[in-house]
């Protein structure tokens, strides 16, 4: 069985999470950066995992466009969905519920948030300002949840 991990990352957190997931899933895994603009043939994959960072409550537009464009094909695959972000509790539930089309969420065998991080050196002025106000920090922080990645990986591996 072959697996595609399609991801959209703004500052690299989602890309690193996708890479960790790929390492744990084994040999027949391909990473696909949705921002690359390259075309991909989904028919060669049994499983498709889609991941994106979340900014201002929304996943990256490339992830949204990929899902919308390929909704019919994705419906015939084993699907996993993840986001990377720093929300917790009810705000996180809302982000997960609105991140991907309901048709994909209903079909997904794994849906989760892998946490997030702030890397100020990669942010523009506006992003830094927003993060400082919302998170009340001006320091790089990482809250990647390896246990969530491992749980997700085991579900997808055994599907």
């Amino acid at each position: 069985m072959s697996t595609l991990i399609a991801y959209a990352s703004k500052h690299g957190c989602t890309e690193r999470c996708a890479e960790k997931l790929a390492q744990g899933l084994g040999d027949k895994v391909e990473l696909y950066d949705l921002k690359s603009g390259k075309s991909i043939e989904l028919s060669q994959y049994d499983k498709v995992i889609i991941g994106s960072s979340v900014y201002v409550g929304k996943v990256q537009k490339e992830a949204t466009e990929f899902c919308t464009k390929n909704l019919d094909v994705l419906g015939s695959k084993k699907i996993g969905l993840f986001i990377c972000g720093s929300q917790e509790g009810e705000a996180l539930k809302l982000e997960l519920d609105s991140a991907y089309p309901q048709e994909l969420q209903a079909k997904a065998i794994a849906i989760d948030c892998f946490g997030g991080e702030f890397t100020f050196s990669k942010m523009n002025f506006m992003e830094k300002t927003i993060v400082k106000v919302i998170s009340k920090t001006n320091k790089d922080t990482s809250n990647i949840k390896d246990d969530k990645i491992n749980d997700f990986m085991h579900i997808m591996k055994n599907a």
Side-chain angles (χ1 to χ4, degrees), residues 20 112-115 143-154:
K20 285 182 180 186
D112 214 335
C113 177
F114 295 165
N143 188 24
I144 302 300
K145 298 177 179 171
D146 288 326
D147 59 327
K148 296 277 189 177
I149 296 171
N150 288 332
D151 291 347
F152 190 100
M153 184 247 329
H154 287 296

Side-chain angles (χ1 to χ4, degrees), residues 25-146:
L25 286 172
D27 297 343
K28 296 184 179 179
V29 179
E30 183 177 342
L31 287 166
Y32 173 61
D33 182 350
L34 292 168
K35 292 186 174 195
S36 72
K38 297 177 186 174
S39 62
I40 189 95
E41 183 53 53
L42 291 176
S43 64
Q44 63 186 343
Y45 303 100
D46 304 301
K47 300 175 187 176
V48 177
I49 298 169
I50 305 164
S52 178
S53 54
V54 176
Y55 286 90
V56 195
K58 298 197 181 291
V59 295
Q60 300 289 307
K61 70 178 172 128
E62 293 85 359
T64 302
E65 290 169 358
F66 177 79
C67 292
T68 303
K69 178 182 172 188
N70 297 295
L71 196 55
D72 290 339
V73 177
L74 291 170
S76 66
K77 309 291 180 187
K78 292 180 180 174
I79 299 293
L81 304 169
F82 75 90
I83 60 173
C84 289
S86 297
Q87 293 290 1
E88 301 278 335
E90 284 301 312
L92 173 59
K93 287 179 188 175
L94 288 172
E95 279 186 355
L96 277 170
D97 287 345
S98 64
Y100 298 103
Q102 291 300 314
E103 299 94 327
L104 285 183
Q105 290 188 45
K107 176 151 183 31
I109 55 177
I111 303 174
D112 214 335
C113 177
F114 295 165
E117 60 186 18
F118 300 125
T119 308
F120 281 86
S121 63
K122 295 182 179 180
M123 295 180 193
N124 64 36
F125 175 78
M126 186 59 88
E127 291 169 331
K128 289 177 187 176
T129 304
I130 292 169
V131 168
K132 285 176 186 177
V133 170
I134 292 173
S135 69
K136 311 259 190 287
T137 187
N138 61 357
K139 296 179 183 176
D140 290 355
T141 59
S142 181
N143 188 24
I144 302 300
K145 298 177 179 171
D146 288 326

Side-chain angles (χ1 to χ4, degrees), residues 5 7-22 31 33 51-53 82 84 117 122:
I5 302 175
Y7 67 90
S9 189
K10 186 164 185 174
H11 296 301
C13 177
T14 305
E15 181 176 21
R16 281 189 299 286
C17 289
E19 288 168 352
K20 285 182 180 186
L21 194 56
L31 287 166
D33 182 350
S52 178
S53 54
F82 75 90
C84 289
E117 60 186 18
K122 295 182 179 180

